[in-house]
């Protein structure tokens, strides 16, 4: 069974819709900006990948993640040729932080935020009318988990159309703890480069419309072949090669593909030395006997780590890459870490290639892994 | 896939979704364990929209899911039967002594509470040995956590620390707690559970929704067993947000496929029926299949607002868990499942209907649980 992706929407620091984001990725220009969300004097990290949309310069405001979520969903519905009435369509939202930034502003600054505002379902209901909306706080694999569960809903006969979305804004508690933990403070997110020092947060939202094969109104952007999800049950924050290997192999099995069938890998690539070494080590082994192996890229080098939505944003970018036959480079990658030496990481400028099948990785705190396989629709 | 067994055509209406009841009707589980059935449109009753494909095309029916274990970490409640009243005068879980110990170190309050509820639930299900080692299939055991406010006090406390003393005063060991899925991670690590690991933060209906998603993970074959935990710790920020003092609450239930429970000789304590999350109570009851199920003997709901809706007999017993225990938020639906098991364990009549959400919330959720035949 495959599932059609018929609508896509996204907002990020580098673009206000999927194509803008993709074009910016291909342009390969530095995109980090000086930290604005929080008092920069309090942190060692001086940069982030924020969406700069606050009404008042230097003053953070609540409910930005909720606002972006609605924007991304609206784009995806329009793209799929659907109206904005979701009263009969389930919506699955993946997120790491939910509206915790609003909680912080409520607690510290007395922002007018109530219990209902902290729940994405409230705003979704008021805007699009879904009763069957669900928020999954599944760290940085949240949207690919949600995507997998959307395919389950269709397979189980519960729905024909499901909207899958993700959103996150940076929180001070997480940014601060990360700043405390990353002793070697990164001034940019540089996945798989020997200069990598850790992750920096990005912000954004993403949405796709997933439909039972052949039931959509408009063109099919890509077909989902399979989504795997598991848990390392190993460490609260560090990745585990065994768990990730199982997730990758299970995704291939579900999709009915062999490693040599994969043309493109959208890496998790969070820029932490731990992730980059683990992920490239696992992929080196998985693709060891696959000839030259797939092209690989890591969009967090330009979007920052957009947390819960990052997996689905990678998937949307993979869809555009397959359609346009071009893979954006990993920004700032000039000297790959030894574990990545055998991988075909795109460096310097976009790579042109005929692409049919893409693998998307997303790994989160709690050792939760999700891997999706999508196929180009032509 | 045009085959169907005679029982599919003649058997009980196992599915209750109607076109006007919203998208989230879930088929009630099959009551028979006979030959594999293909889920076909006609199984769903006359109102069902014909579908271009049947399930995954494998001919596998939705799998029956049962509850096999319950565990509580709830002050003032000693055992699940207490939930049906009257609450004991004292006893139950004591957070002051119960949340300490080596394995509790460096963990947030929600995670500690959840671990204290999970272990008795797994033990109740017969899935732990005498040394508390997990006896089930770890690779196919999922963890599903429901919590709305579990990380609120952590987040507020960390921002206070940054404002007061700077980032240097934060503990690096607090990193996992900044992510809302921290509880599910610790539960998985403690028992080495490597199946899907899900955290549902879905407002008032979150507990019932978590049960639904655990059921879906099993029905879709992603897991054989699922530990579902509802947890809401008490704290200053939670109290401020809700406007009243809350009680520490954690509850865990173990779900598994009926076939899996039977294979290992575990006693099913309740069987999953229909579920729905829709715009209001009447449509939720319709979509969950209340009319087709055994008459409701126990309705777990909110405050008594007068006449029961269509589908709930006037004589059905009615229990509002929050009346005695205070606000339960994401814990409520999972605790309702524990109360349902207590009702059925105690020989209570009829099926059990749990409802959450409603006016003032973004939806109403309903879940039916019935006596297991085995």
């Amino acid at each position: 069974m495959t599932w059609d992706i018929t609508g896509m929407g996204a907002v990020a620091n580098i673009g206000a819709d999927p194509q803008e984001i993709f074009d910016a990725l291909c342009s390969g220009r530095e995109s980090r900006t000086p930290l604005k969300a929080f008092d920069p004097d309090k942190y060692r990290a001086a940069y982030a990948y924020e969406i700069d949309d606050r009404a008042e310069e230097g003053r953070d405001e609540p409910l930005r993640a909720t606002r972006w979520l609605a924007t991304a969903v609206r784009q995806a519905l329009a793209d799929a040729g659907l109206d904005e009435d979701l009263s009969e369509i389930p919506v699955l939202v993946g997120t790491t932080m939910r509206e915790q930034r609003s909680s912080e502003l409520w607690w510290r600054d007395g922002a007018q935020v109530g219990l209902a505002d902290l729940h994405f379902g409230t705003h979704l209901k008021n805007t699009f009318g879904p009763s069957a909306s669900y928020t999954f706080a599944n760290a940085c694999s949240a949207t690919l988990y949600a995507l997998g569960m959307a395919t389950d809903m269709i397979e189980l006969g519960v729905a024909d159309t499901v909207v899958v979305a993700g959103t996150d804004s940076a929180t001070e508690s997480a940014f601060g703890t990360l700043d405390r933990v990353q002793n070697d403070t990164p001034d940019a997110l540089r996945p798989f480069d020997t200069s990598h020092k850790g992750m920096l947060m990005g912000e954004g939202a993403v949405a796709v419309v997933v439909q039972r094969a052949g039931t959509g109104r408009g063109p099919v952007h890509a077909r989902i072949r399979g989504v795997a999800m598991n848990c390392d049950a190993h460490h609260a924050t560090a990745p585990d090669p065994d768990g990730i290997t199982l997730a990758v192999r299970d995704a291939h099995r579900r999709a009915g593909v062999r490693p040599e069938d994969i043309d493109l890998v959208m890496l998790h690539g969070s820029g932490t030395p731990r992730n980059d070494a683990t992920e490239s080590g696992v992929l080196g082994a998985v693709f060891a006997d696959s000839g030259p192996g797939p092209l690989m890229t890591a969009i967090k080098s330009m979007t920052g780590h957009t947390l819960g939505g990052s997996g689905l944003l990678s998937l949307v970018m993979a869809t555009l890459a397959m359609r346009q036959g071009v893979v954006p480079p990993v920004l700032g990658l000039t000297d790959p870490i030894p574990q990545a030496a055998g991988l075909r990481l795109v460096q310097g400028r976009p790579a042109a290639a005929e692409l049919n099948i893409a693998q998307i990785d997303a790994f989160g705190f709690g050792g939760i892994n999700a891997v999706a396989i999508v196929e180009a629709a032509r | 896939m045009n085959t169907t067994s005679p029982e599919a055509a003649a058997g009980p209406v196992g599915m209750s979704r109607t076109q006007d009841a919203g998208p989230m009707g879930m088929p009630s589980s099959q009551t028979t364990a006979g030959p594999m059935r293909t889920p076909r449109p006609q199984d769903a009753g006359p109102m069902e929209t014909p579908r271009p494909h049947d399930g995954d095309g494998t001919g596998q029916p939705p799998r029956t899911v049962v509850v096999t274990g319950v565990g509580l970490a709830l002050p003032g409640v000693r055992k699940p039967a207490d939930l049906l009243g009257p609450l004991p005068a004292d006893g139950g879980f004591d957070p002051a002594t119960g949340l300490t110990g080596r394995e509790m170190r460096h963990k947030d309050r929600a995670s500690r509470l959840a671990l204290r509820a999970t272990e008795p639930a797994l033990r109740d299900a017969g899935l732990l040995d005498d040394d508390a080692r997990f006896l089930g299939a770890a690779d196919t055991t999922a963890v599903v956590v429901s919590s709305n406010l579990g990380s609120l006090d952590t987040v507020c406390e960390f921002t206070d620390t940054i404002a007061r003393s700077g980032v240097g005063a934060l503990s690096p060991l607090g990193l996992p707690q900044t992510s809302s899925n921290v509880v599910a991670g610790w539960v998985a690590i403690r028992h080495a559970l490597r199946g899907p690991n899900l955290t549902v933060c879905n407002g008032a209906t979150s507990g019932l929704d978590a049960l639904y998603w655990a059921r879906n993970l099993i029905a879709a074959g992603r897991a054989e067993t699922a530990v579902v935990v509802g947890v809401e710790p008490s704290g200053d920020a939670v109290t401020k947000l809700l406007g009243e003092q809350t009680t520490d609450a954690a509850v865990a239930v173990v779900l598994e496929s009926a076939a899996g429970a039977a294979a290992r000789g575990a006693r099913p304590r309740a069987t999953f029926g229909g579920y729905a999350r829709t715009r209001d109570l009447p449509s939720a009851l319709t979509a969950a299949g209340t009319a087709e199920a055994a008459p409701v003997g126990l309705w777990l709901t909110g405050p008594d607002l007068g006449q029961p809706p269509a589908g709930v007999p006037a004589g059905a017993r009615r229990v509002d868990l929050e009346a005695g225990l205070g606000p339960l938020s994401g814990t409520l639906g999972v605790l309702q499942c524990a109360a349902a098991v207590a009702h059925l364990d105690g020989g209570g009549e009829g099926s059990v209907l749990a409802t959450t959400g409603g006016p003032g919330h973004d939806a109403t959720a309903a879940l039916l649980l019935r006596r297991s035949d085995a």
Side-chain angles (χ1 to χ4, degrees):
Chain A
M1 191 170 185
T2 65
W3 300 263
D4 292 346
I5 292 178
T6 57
M8 305 191 293
V11 289
N13 61 325
I14 52 172
D17 62 48
Q19 189 63 50
E20 262 190 42
I21 297 168
F22 187 77
D23 291 344
L25 290 172
C26 288
S27 78
R29 278 193 298 273
E30 185 54 69
S31 55
R32 65 173 192 184
T33 50
L35 179 66
K36 282 188 177 178
F38 323 118
D39 178 359
D41 295 340
K42 285 193 154 60
Y43 303 92
R44 293 179 293 181
Y47 296 93
Y49 298 84
E50 295 171 48
I51 293 180
D52 192 10
D53 66 348
R54 298 171 186 86
E56 197 181 320
E57 185 78 17
R59 185 179 173 82
D60 204 5
E61 58 193 50
L63 304 180
R64 291 161 71 239
T66 297
R67 187 163 77 214
W68 304 329
L69 173 64
T71 301
V73 168
R74 189 169 284 123
Q75 287 178 14
L77 292 175
D79 187 34
L82 298 174
D83 64 31
E84 294 189 4
D85 175 7
L86 294 179
S87 56
E88 302 296 315
I89 293 177
V91 182
L92 312 189
V93 180
T95 178
T96 296
M97 301 295 175
R98 302 184 282 152
E99 269 296 354
Q100 284 180 355
R101 180 55 184 154
S102 297
S103 301
E104 294 176 348
L105 292 166
W106 162 78
W107 179 252
R108 292 294 315 166
D109 305 342
Q112 293 299 304
V113 176
L115 178 62
D117 299 316
L118 301 177
H119 173 43
F120 292 130
T122 306
H123 188 70
L124 287 172
K125 176 78 175 182
N126 294 338
T127 309
F128 304 106
S131 294
S133 78
Y134 296 93
T135 295
F136 303 109
N138 254 43
C140 303
S141 58
T143 39
L144 291 192
Y145 253 84
L147 187 75
M149 294 189 294
T151 64
D152 290 348
M153 287 182 106
I154 295 171
E155 183 174 330
L156 291 168
V158 177
D160 287 337
T161 300
V162 183
V163 174
V164 180
T167 188
D168 268 299
S169 59
T171 68
E172 186 165 26
S173 51
F175 192 89
T177 310
L178 207 60
D179 200 60
R180 170 74 180 83
V181 171
Q182 296 187 146
N183 287 320
D184 202 3
T185 305
D187 55 11
L189 200 159
R190 291 283 178 258
F192 305 100
D193 192 77
T194 51
S195 68
H196 63 175
K197 291 181 180 174
M199 79 97 130
L200 287 173
M201 277 185 204
E203 295 186 316
V206 57
V208 299
V209 176
V210 182
Q211 300 196 277
R212 186 181 296 278
T215 63
R217 291 178 186 165
V220 176
H221 298 314
R223 294 189 179 86
I224 303 166
R225 293 280 297 264
V227 185
M229 56 182 79
N230 73 352
C231 178
D232 298 336
H234 174 70
H235 190 276
T237 53
D240 172 39
D242 295 342
I244 290 173
T245 302
L246 284 171
V248 171
R249 297 220 184 267
D250 188 41
H252 291 181
R253 183 187 62 78
R254 287 172 178 275
V257 299
R258 299 160 301 178
E260 55 266 40
D261 298 326
I262 309 283
D263 301 309
L264 171 66
V265 178
M266 305 297 287
L267 296 152
H268 180 65
S270 61
T272 67
R274 203 85 173 255
N275 172 83
D276 293 353
T278 305
E279 187 176 20
S280 49
V282 165
L283 295 185
V286 166
F287 294 106
D289 304 318
S290 312
L295 292 171
M296 300 189 184
T297 193
I299 68 170
K300 292 183 182 73
S301 59
M302 288 193 66
T303 63
H305 197 333
T306 57
L307 307 176
S310 64
L312 195 61
L313 184 60
S314 283
L315 185 145
V316 167
M317 293 301 110
T319 297
L320 296 180
M322 290 191 292
R323 183 195 291 166
Q324 291 165 228
V326 59
V327 182
V330 184
L331 184 69
L333 178 62
T334 54
D335 183 16
I337 56 173
Q339 295 90 337
L343 303 180
R344 293 174 68 203
L345 289 157
V346 179
Q347 298 180 44
R349 58 177 179 277
E354 189 182 323
L355 308 164
N356 280 310
I357 296 185
Q359 168 183 326
I360 299 96
D361 292 353
F363 314 131
F365 276 8
I368 49 180
N369 312 306
V371 177
I373 307 292
V374 295
E375 178 182 15
R378 305 193 199 283
Chain B
M1 303 303 296
N2 287 321
T3 57
T4 184
S5 65
E7 65 175 323
V13 177
M15 179 141 162
S16 47
R17 184 150 29 98
T18 63
Q19 281 181 310
D20 61 354
M24 282 303 302
M26 179 178 92
S28 304
S29 317
Q30 318 296 330
T31 52
T32 51
M36 289 302 191
R37 292 170 44 172
T38 305
R40 288 175 51 79
Q42 57 263 44
D43 284 358
M47 298 293 285
E48 178 58 28
T49 309
R51 299 198 178 283
H53 299 283
D54 292 338
D56 60 356
T58 62
Q60 301 283 336
R63 305 161 84 200
T64 301
V65 173
V66 297
V67 184
T68 55
V70 178
L72 300 177
L74 193 58
V77 180
R78 292 175 179 168
K79 57 187 188 303
D82 293 342
L83 295 168
L84 299 172
L87 288 173
D90 53 34
F93 184 74
D94 178 9
T97 57
L99 296 180
T100 58
R102 197 172 61 84
E103 73 279 21
M104 295 282 136
R105 259 190 268 163
H106 309 309
K107 295 185 177 71
D108 61 299
R109 193 175 188 86
S111 295
R112 290 184 282 153
L113 282 163
L115 289 170
R116 286 296 185 240
T118 302
E119 186 164 326
L122 291 172
R123 195 175 299 286
D124 190 37
L127 286 169
L128 292 186
D129 70 12
D130 291 342
D131 298 320
R133 278 188 300 246
F134 184 66
L135 296 168
D139 286 340
T140 54
T141 299
V143 176
V144 181
V145 170
S146 165
S147 187
N148 290 310
L149 304 164
S151 56
L152 184 66
D153 270 277
T154 297
V155 164
C156 295
E157 181 194 322
F158 284 17
T159 52
D160 281 346
T161 301
I162 294 168
R164 193 176 53 238
S165 315
V167 172
L170 291 169
S171 166
L173 297 168
L175 186 61
Q177 302 174 33
T178 62
S179 192
S180 295
N181 70 321
V182 59
V183 174
W186 284 127
V187 169
I189 289 168
R190 170 66 186 84
H191 298 288
L193 308 178
R194 292 188 290 270
N197 187 280
L198 189 65
T199 298
V200 181
C201 304
N202 211 41
T205 65
S206 203
L208 293 182
D209 300 337
L211 291 164
Y212 166 69
W213 284 104
R215 178 267 179 198
N216 263 13
L217 290 171
I218 295 170
R222 290 188 187 272
E224 290 295 321
T225 306
V227 184
V228 183
V229 182
V231 59
E232 298 290 2
S234 181
D236 292 345
V238 170
T239 299
K240 183 182 173 191
L241 187 67
L242 297 182
E244 59 183 304
Q245 180 69 44
T246 61
T247 304
D248 280 315
V251 52
V253 300
V254 176
L255 307 186
E256 54 191 306
S257 68
R264 66 181 187 90
R267 184 167 70 90
R269 316 272 284 280
T271 296
F272 260 63
Y275 157 93
R277 191 182 200 268
T278 68
R279 66 183 179 279
D280 57 20
L281 186 59
S283 65
L285 298 193
T286 302
T290 312
E292 294 86 356
V296 172
L298 171 65
W299 181 24
L300 297 158
T301 179
D304 193 337
L305 299 173
Q307 278 296 102
V312 179
R317 190 171 174 204
R318 193 163 171 157
V319 173
D320 173 10
L321 293 174
E322 292 187 312
L325 296 167
L328 292 165
S329 193
T331 308
L332 177 59
V334 188
L335 201 61
Q336 288 175 327
C337 181
V341 169
H343 173 81
L344 298 168
D345 275 355
E349 290 181 4
S351 54
V352 180
L353 170 67
T355 59
T356 56
H361 301 286
D362 64 321
T364 299
L367 174 68
L368 281 164
L369 293 157
R370 60 179 163 76
R371 186 174 304 286
S372 299
D373 303 319

